[in-house]
Amino acid sequence: MKVTGYAYPWDVLGETAFAERVQDLGVDEVAVALAYHSARAATPWSTERTSVVARTAALYRPVRAEAWAGRDLVPATPDWVSAEDSGGDAVRRLNEAGIPAAAWIVLTHNSQLGTEFPQYAVRNCFGETYPWALCPAQPAVREYAATLTAESVAGLKLSSVLLEACGPLGGVHQHQHEKTDGVWAPATARLLSICCCDACADGWTGLDASDVREILRAEVQRLIGTADLSVVEDRLPAELKEKLLSGRQQATDALRAAVLAVLEPGTRVVLHGALDPWVTGALPGLTPTAADDAETVVLQNWAPGQGSVDAVAAARRALPERVAIGSYITAVAASAVPDIEAYVAELAKAGATELHLYHLGLAGPARWPDLHAATAAAHSAP
């Protein structure tokens, strides 16, 4: 299995031992966050600080006025890092050390822009906007994503381009102090993740937008009124669901096409996604044509359980043989994976041919042995 480890620019640049540590680990490439959402990221290897507070989503390359002129949606410049081109500097440092570097680009997840320009954000059937979620049906969002990608990769030697949030985000999100956990059933969360903005409604062929919103609201209220929080199926008519999903997938395909159009021919594209077409978030549901545009599809197999191994097997059956399947696992969960080597072996046996390791900066000395074990298991997989 090919092994990709993920890192932030400040991980690579923050202390000189990073490259040496990664070389000893033996990953095949390091994915550097060049455009990323807001976060508070621990820095367990640093002797100077305990964390980096990235207050907003930002572009970790120069934000050039000529590239963004005349647009509403412009990425922030991260003043929490000292270098103007910290992402580029991190990629170049890895290149100099002989470590292949990939671009890790987060597209539609931007709370700052969604707050400042709510007209471009996802809006649910109650008319509530989700500021963290830029809507792929909006032409301005697709233009933003394409320019963000072009500016992220400009002038860099990259082994791959990894696309996260290349599709819709929805109603479930770690927003401020999240107080929705344990309140909405899965079916409720799915309905609240259907964008009902005017641009999305334009894609609802043959449907009256007001009627659709009312139907969705009524079903959400019915589900919220039930005592069973495990409900996964709603009662929407199949024809309505088919048209809603079709509109969403058309917008997602248009977003992806705009992004891919700015990449050099032959670029190795890695797409974060999910088999369930209704999934929203960092790894959104794959459309019927998504796999045609990617070398690898990465599934979130964060930890054992919840059908992770079965999902890999299902993806291997569903996706073309030429498409590699990556398993995205974490070494920084609150509870460590009990036997991470065995878990990686199970994923490989199910059909995964790449291991995506989270996270080379967040995993401190206590969790670094888990990264070693996972990488060794991946490289020894048949």
Side-chain angles (χ1 to χ4, degrees):
M1 298 174 77
K2 176 185 174 74
V3 181
T4 298
Y6 289 64
Y8 302 129
W10 53 82
D11 297 323
V12 182
L13 301 174
E15 37 92 24
T16 56
F18 180 86
E20 181 180 337
R21 193 162 58 244
V22 168
Q23 287 170 326
D24 177 66
L25 182 62
V27 299
D28 298 292
E29 69 178 356
V30 174
V32 179
L34 301 181
Y36 200 70
H37 54 73
S38 59
R40 180 189 178 206
T43 55
W45 294 98
S46 174
T47 58
E48 305 296 326
R49 58 189 176 190
T50 63
S51 64
V52 170
V53 178
R55 297 186 310 282
T56 68
L59 174 61
Y60 292 91
R61 305 295 315 282
V63 179
R64 301 183 307 120
E66 56 269 34
W68 299 97
R71 308 182 190 206
D72 289 338
L73 300 178
V74 179
T77 297
D79 60 11
W80 49 89
V81 293
S82 58
E84 181 187 28
D85 188 13
S86 62
D89 291 344
V91 168
R92 286 184 285 269
R93 178 171 292 188
L94 291 169
N95 290 163
E96 290 167 2
I99 301 170
W104 177 15
I105 305 171
V106 177
L107 295 171
T108 60
H109 185 179
N110 192 313
S111 298
Q112 181 193 37
L113 294 180
T115 299
E116 188 174 355
F117 300 101
Q119 66 268 36
Y120 301 128
V122 169
R123 188 179 309 132
N124 71 19
C125 56
F126 290 87
E128 301 164 316
T129 57
Y130 298 150
W132 56 84
L134 300 177
C135 178
Q138 298 282 350
V141 171
R142 299 198 291 264
E143 184 181 1
Y144 160 80
T147 306
L148 187 73
T149 301
E151 293 295 289
S152 293
V153 305
L156 296 180
K157 180 183 176 183
L158 297 163
S159 53
S160 311
V161 173
L162 284 63
L163 301 178
E164 179 179 324
C166 189
L169 275 76
V172 178
H173 180 265
Q174 292 177 348
H175 181 62
Q176 297 179 351
H177 286 249
E178 188 65 60
K179 299 297 180 182
T180 61
D181 296 342
V183 177
W184 296 331
T188 309
R190 185 170 62 247
L191 294 179
L192 287 173
S193 297
I194 295 174
C195 185
C196 297
C197 74
D198 291 343
C200 283
D202 287 343
W204 298 342
T205 307
L207 299 177
D208 180 271
S210 296
D211 289 345
V212 170
R213 293 183 182 108
E214 183 57 40
I215 292 170
L216 290 172
R217 284 196 296 268
E219 181 61 5
V220 167
Q221 289 171 329
R222 184 191 72 80
L223 288 167
I224 289 177
T226 65
D228 187 356
L229 293 180
S230 65
V231 178
V232 296
E233 292 296 330
D234 54 63
R235 294 182 184 175
L236 294 182
E239 183 180 3
L240 173 58
K241 292 173 71 170
E242 182 180 346
K243 289 184 176 181
L244 292 176
L245 182 59
S246 175
R248 171 188 283 184
Q249 290 182 330
Q250 288 176 25
T252 300
D253 286 340
L255 172 77
R256 190 176 64 258
V259 168
L260 297 181
V262 305
L263 297 176
E264 292 289 336
T267 298
R268 182 176 181 272
V269 175
V270 178
L271 186 63
H272 286 207
L275 281 187
D276 182 348
W278 287 101
V279 170
T280 56
L283 294 86
L286 298 171
T287 72
T289 61
D292 297 338
D293 294 330
E295 299 283 338
T296 300
V297 167
V298 177
L299 308 178
Q300 186 164 325
N301 304 137
W302 220 227
Q306 300 180 333
S308 292
V309 174
D310 290 342
V312 170
R316 186 64 287 161
R317 293 191 297 269
L319 299 177
E321 191 62 33
R322 66 160 192 83
V323 176
I325 295 173
S327 283
Y328 199 14
I329 72 171
T330 182
V332 293
S335 299
V337 175
D339 189 345
I340 201 167
E341 290 175 283
Y343 181 45
V344 171
E346 286 184 65
L347 294 168
K349 186 177 180 180
T353 53
E354 294 186 15
L355 185 68
H356 288 245
L357 278 178
Y358 188 89
H359 182 285
L360 301 184
L362 299 176
R367 292 292 177 86
W368 200 255
D370 287 348
L371 293 184
H372 265 289
T375 302
H379 283 159
S380 64

